[in-house]
Amino acid sequence: MSAAVPDPIIRVRGLVNRFGKQVVHDGLDLEVRRGEILGVVGGSGSGKSVLMRSIIGLRRPDEGEVEVLGIDALNATEAQRRHIEQHSGVLFQDGALFSSLTVGENVQVPLKEYHRHLPEPLLYELALLKVKLSGLPAEAINKLPSQLSGGMRKRAGLARALAMDPPLLFLDEPTAGLDPIGAAAFDDLVRTLQQALGLTVFLITHDLDTLYAICDRVAVLADKRVIACAPLPEIERLDHPWVREYFHGPRARAAKDTGAPGQTAEASC
């Protein structure tokens, strides 16, 4: 008997995104299951970041439905929108930290937004906890982003994304620009946090090592939609030009040999 498939924490139906005459998504469907790490891949211009922005509310799509945490995100009330925001953490590319604030002050931004009456000493302690949780040394809390390496800035951004203890985490190219050792360490951190905190992770990446090491399923964006959403062994069998080029080259073979493919699961999206 096959295991029950977890309920989706994100459901996208018939998504259409246009920029003038350019159509980026045309009838895109996707479901993200509770408790999984979903890797999102696609060629340049396929709309990976646009999809994420549509889900988290930074862009209103031209057509379609987006449900997040059981809420109709496109028709949400102010209270429902705040609920989604409070229960979602986002790590943008390169951390997107406020350059004039220390790491600790960056982590405190969402805490001050949603918990305005917390005393300063408690805010500091909560920020320090998240800094340590992200794998940074305690002294990093008082440093400015310009004083950190690229890998440390990403961890600081992750600490801020985790500030509100969200069940849903969005990561946009988290290992881009990192050396192989730093990228592997970040992958291990994401998997450890996901298992320890019960997170659902929506992870945009082009890093094959990340896909093979920590992703349970992979969603492939091509032809303006999600052409497949399944564990990697099923994705590899797809007869599609982009999939063949991406997943059957020498880099993919090397990543497959060293990584641990995601758990086998039903492939429907």
Side-chain angles (χ1 to χ4, degrees):
M1 181 181 294
S2 60
V5 176
D7 293 333
I9 195 169
I10 298 171
R11 181 184 284 114
V12 179
R13 287 286 179 266
L15 193 74
V16 176
N17 274 302
R18 303 187 188 94
F19 294 90
K21 295 182 179 180
Q22 180 187 6
V23 179
V24 178
H25 301 136
D26 189 7
L28 183 151
D29 295 336
L30 177 67
E31 288 187 356
V32 182
R33 298 171 184 165
R34 192 177 301 273
E36 74 173 342
I37 298 180
L38 178 74
V40 180
V41 300
S44 177
S46 60
K48 300 182 293 295
S49 293
V50 175
L51 172 59
M52 187 187 83
R53 291 170 64 86
S54 297
I55 293 172
I56 64 178
L58 293 181
R59 172 180 169 79
R60 186 172 183 86
D62 295 278
E63 297 177 28
E65 302 174 1
V66 178
E67 184 179 296
V68 182
L69 299 166
I71 297 171
D72 179 354
L74 301 184
N75 297 294
T77 64
E78 180 63 27
Q80 289 174 325
R81 170 50 55 190
R82 288 179 67 84
H83 178 83
I84 294 174
E85 292 173 353
Q86 285 182 265
H87 291 80
S88 303
V90 185
L91 171 60
F92 295 99
Q93 293 185 29
D94 198 36
L97 299 169
F98 297 108
S99 60
S100 61
L101 302 181
T102 65
V103 169
E105 290 167 341
N106 267 280
V107 176
Q108 290 180 40
V109 168
L111 293 170
K112 290 181 176 180
E113 172 69 20
Y114 294 103
H115 299 295
R116 298 179 181 179
H117 303 297
L118 290 179
E120 287 294 330
L122 180 56
L123 287 170
Y124 183 89
E125 290 300 321
L126 288 172
L128 180 60
L129 174 63
K130 303 306 179 183
V131 166
K132 292 180 178 179
L133 194 63
S134 68
L136 287 171
E139 57 268 23
I141 194 171
N142 295 318
K143 292 183 179 292
L144 292 169
S146 61
Q147 297 173 301
L148 304 177
S149 67
M152 293 178 74
R153 283 196 300 273
K154 288 181 182 290
R155 288 175 183 262
L158 180 61
R160 186 177 63 186
L162 294 171
M164 297 291 293
D165 297 317
L168 181 55
L169 188 62
F170 294 87
L171 307 178
D172 191 357
E173 299 282 9
T175 60
L178 300 183
D179 63 80
I181 295 175
F186 198 94
D187 287 342
D188 290 342
L189 174 64
V190 170
R191 174 55 87 180
T192 298
L193 291 173
Q194 183 265 338
Q195 293 176 340
L197 303 177
L199 300 172
T200 302
V201 182
F202 180 101
L203 189 158
I204 297 173
T205 187
H206 67 275
D207 192 328
L208 284 158
D209 290 328
T210 297
L211 294 174
Y212 281 97
I214 66 172
C215 291
D216 300 301
R217 293 191 304 153
V218 174
V220 180
L221 269 65
D223 306 326
K224 303 177 184 179
R225 59 188 177 89
V226 174
I227 62 169
C229 183
L232 272 167
E234 297 182 35
I235 296 295
E236 292 171 340
R237 293 195 292 270
L238 288 177
D239 185 18
H240 187 277
W242 188 87
V243 172
R244 289 197 302 270
E245 183 177 2
Y246 190 76
F247 285 99
H248 294 281
R251 289 178 179 268
R253 288 194 293 270
K256 183 177 180 180
D257 290 341
T258 58
Q263 302 171 2
T264 300
E266 295 184 18
S268 63
C269 265

